[in-house]
Amino acid sequence: MARSGLHALAEAVLLPGFAGTSAPDWVRERIAGGLGGVVLFGRNIVDDAQVAALTAQLRGERDDVVIGIDEEGGDVTRLDAATGSTLPGPLALGAAGDLGLTAEVGTALGTRLAACGVTLDLAPCADLTLTLDDPIIGVRAFGADPYAAAAHVAAYVRGMQSAGVAACAKHFPGHGASTSDSHFTLPVLPRTPQELDAVELVPFRAAIAAGVRSVMTGHLVVPQWGSEPATVNPTAILDVLRGQLGFTGAVVTDALEMGAVAGHLGNAAGLADAAVRSLRAGADALCIGGEIADADAVAAIVERIVAEVHAGTLTEERLAQAAERTRSLGVPPSGGVTTHDGVPRRDDGALGMAVARKALRTSHLPALSAEPLVVDVEVEPTIAAGPVPWGLGPHLVELLPGTRALRVTAAEPGELFELAHGREVVVTTRDAHRHPAVLALVAELLKTATAVVHVETGTSGPDLGTLGRIDTFGGSRSSLRAAAEVISGSAVSGQTRHTNPTGLADR
């Protein structure tokens, strides 16, 4: 049933999540009544055919519904949450250093999303990898150099949008210098506006110049812009993003229930407060439902927005403007393109391996015996990545018969050290430098094993004293497969590079 007036406008700016692999009644009813759209998460996905059926169900209620997804490729994947991504993520693309490959990956993802009925991809990250202490961006950024990263951001945006899917550059003004995770706390960037202009804003300028259709605000405080995070800060959105950078598209918020905003603004009322304050500050499409996915939350936000308009603290003109910009992200995809620059699009698996092989960085890699022990050391994944399958073991077991694979945590190594005694070991980590217990485990392996090769799938931390090292710059299936090829001796000669896109810990 259609809603009229202010309620319809308040509905139109919301992009909630929901539970299940088909649309619940409350979602379908609200879309029919004017709800802006939805954001899909791993919990909503089985495979591409199911996603296409789900989006068709949603579009059956209203053709211009916004259907968003957080599909970055690499470590942050929704379409491949059950298996791991075939396409490496941004840091691997930065390491490969090939803008043509980056554009091709953007096109491939866009084409697949369009075929699934998605209209908005909340990617790419235009953040930079600026500190090893960053707990949330890491391999999700294209690197540390602002101009190199900017070129990749622009190539990715053009590729994605050539398939008819809106890209979204995030997390404005740039998360990479933060040492805290805005899912939980409110990060304060140790940056002046001048420093941001010279570094973090460079990739956002490139995205805007490339025609990016949306930009996502980060829940980040820049002290000289005031005490409020960018998502609810008019200086950030109106003065800098729209005024200084000239962005005219849709401003999308990061999830409003995240601790940095909803928690910062106050418990149960925090979500509704965050919604109203972000609209006042100039945001357009409000993402909710990463963790809160129910009809009551949506209803409460709608009522609060309407009440604020009646009270005169939010203008109807501002709400209508936000609704119109949100609707612009719901243009039904055409089904994507099949060519890029006149060249037939290659299979995603072949494309993923081309990127992964070109991104690898190897150092002093020894020839291993026929029966090494490969140890995947698991750590708790970030909320952004979630529990996506990861590990070198299955790949190396397949390519190097006689390999024994073991999966452990640093807290519970089990029989690891007994098995490693007097044996060659390949140890695979994810951001080892951020986990003291993992560093201690590797140090113990160095005392026990005859030789240790370290495969790092996160950002490049310091040398851990191993005999050999491989950096994959991401944990995608293709990245791990490429590392296994090199270790097993089955890699094609000349396909690895000695580059470090982070510039944080050159060895």
Side-chain angles (χ1 to χ4, degrees):
M1 59 179 179
R3 294 170 177 83
S4 59
L6 290 179
H7 281 82
L9 289 177
E11 296 257 3
V13 301
L14 301 184
L15 303 179
F18 60 89
T21 55
S22 62
D25 290 345
W26 72 267
V27 169
R28 293 170 54 225
E29 290 169 3
R30 285 192 174 273
I31 288 173
L35 182 69
V38 297
V39 177
L40 303 181
F41 295 89
R43 64 185 179 232
N44 304 121
I45 293 168
V46 177
D47 55 31
D48 288 18
Q50 171 267 327
V51 176
L54 170 58
T55 60
Q57 181 188 31
L58 297 171
R59 198 161 281 115
E61 302 296 336
R62 199 182 76 247
D63 190 56
D64 64 348
V65 60
V66 180
I67 301 174
I69 197 169
D70 207 3
E71 181 60 55
E72 299 175 13
D75 291 50
V76 178
T77 178
R78 305 300 180 236
L79 291 178
D80 296 320
T83 60
S85 178
T86 299
L87 294 173
L91 197 60
L93 287 164
D98 186 326
L99 295 178
L101 280 177
T102 297
E104 196 174 349
V105 167
T107 302
L109 273 177
T111 300
R112 185 179 175 194
L113 291 170
C116 289
V118 172
T119 70
L120 167 67
D121 188 18
L122 302 175
C125 284
D127 308 287
L128 298 170
T129 304
L130 296 178
T131 171
L132 286 173
D133 294 326
D134 162 36
I136 190 63
I137 299 300
V139 297
R140 301 168 64 197
F142 288 98
D145 181 276
Y147 291 95
H152 285 282
V153 167
Y156 188 103
V157 165
R158 292 189 185 101
M160 174 70 65
Q161 295 190 165
S162 75
V165 174
C168 183
K170 62 186 185 185
H171 306 79
F172 179 82
H175 213 302
S178 170
T179 57
S180 57
D181 183 352
S182 56
H183 287 89
F184 305 108
T185 60
L186 180 61
V188 177
L189 294 180
R191 312 289 277 176
T192 66
Q194 294 74 25
E195 289 171 327
L196 288 173
D197 187 61
V199 181
E200 280 95 333
L201 298 188
V202 172
F204 287 98
R205 282 198 186 87
I208 293 167
V212 72
R213 290 171 56 192
S214 63
V215 170
M216 177 181 283
T217 57
H219 305 326
L220 305 159
V221 171
V222 177
Q224 290 186 39
W225 292 351
S227 61
E228 299 294 357
T231 297
V232 295
N233 189 321
T235 297
I237 297 175
L238 298 179
D239 295 350
V240 181
L241 179 57
R242 294 213 182 276
Q244 183 179 323
L245 273 61
F247 180 62
T248 59
V251 175
V252 181
T253 71
D254 206 347
L256 290 180
E257 68 267 29
M258 289 165 61
V261 174
H264 175 60
L265 296 176
N267 298 327
L271 191 55
D273 286 343
V276 171
R277 295 180 72 167
S278 63
L279 287 168
R280 282 195 209 121
D284 303 307
L286 314 185
C287 286
I288 54 176
E291 298 171 56
I292 299 173
D294 60 69
D296 291 343
V298 173
I301 294 171
V302 169
E303 292 304 322
R304 178 63 180 276
I305 291 172
V306 170
E308 296 287 338
V309 175
H310 284 312
T313 54
L314 175 67
T315 68
E316 185 173 351
E317 180 183 20
R318 167 80 272 269
L319 185 58
Q321 179 189 59
E324 183 59 30
R325 287 182 178 145
T326 301
R327 289 190 195 100
S328 73
L329 302 176
V331 178
S334 61
V337 296
T338 56
T339 62
H340 181 65
D341 293 339
V343 178
R345 189 172 73 85
R346 65 180 126 182
D347 172 82
D348 284 2
L351 175 59
M353 290 306 301
V355 174
R357 289 168 180 149
K358 200 167 186 179
L360 282 188
R361 172 174 172 247
T362 65
S363 179
H364 309 298
L365 197 63
L368 298 180
S369 69
E371 298 184 353
L373 173 67
V374 56
V375 183
D376 293 321
V377 185
E378 293 203 76
V379 293
E380 187 71 22
T382 65
I383 285 182
V388 176
W390 167 91
L392 179 67
H395 299 284
L396 200 55
V397 165
E398 180 183 342
L399 294 178
L400 193 60
T403 296
R404 176 160 182 180
L406 197 62
R407 185 177 294 270
V408 303
T409 66
E412 297 183 3
E415 58 180 343
L416 168 61
F417 299 116
E418 290 81 1
L419 291 173
H421 184 74
R423 193 171 187 175
E424 294 172 332
V425 175
V426 179
V427 59
T428 312
T429 64
R430 181 179 294 186
D431 290 327
H433 59 276
R434 294 191 54 248
H435 302 280
V438 174
L439 295 177
L441 181 147
V442 175
E444 188 63 28
L445 281 176
L446 290 172
K447 300 175 186 176
T448 307
T450 58
V452 178
V453 171
H454 178 203
V455 178
E456 175 56 70
T457 68
T459 51
S460 291
D463 190 327
L464 302 187
T466 57
L467 182 60
R469 174 155 170 166
I470 299 176
D471 283 281
T472 66
F473 304 105
S476 72
R477 281 189 292 152
S478 296
S479 297
L480 289 159
R481 185 73 176 190
E485 287 179 344
V486 170
I487 293 168
S488 67
S490 60
V492 177
S493 177
Q495 289 187 316
T496 61
R497 289 164 54 92
H498 297 271
T499 62
N500 183 355
T502 67
L504 296 175
D506 261 320
R507 300 168 65 242

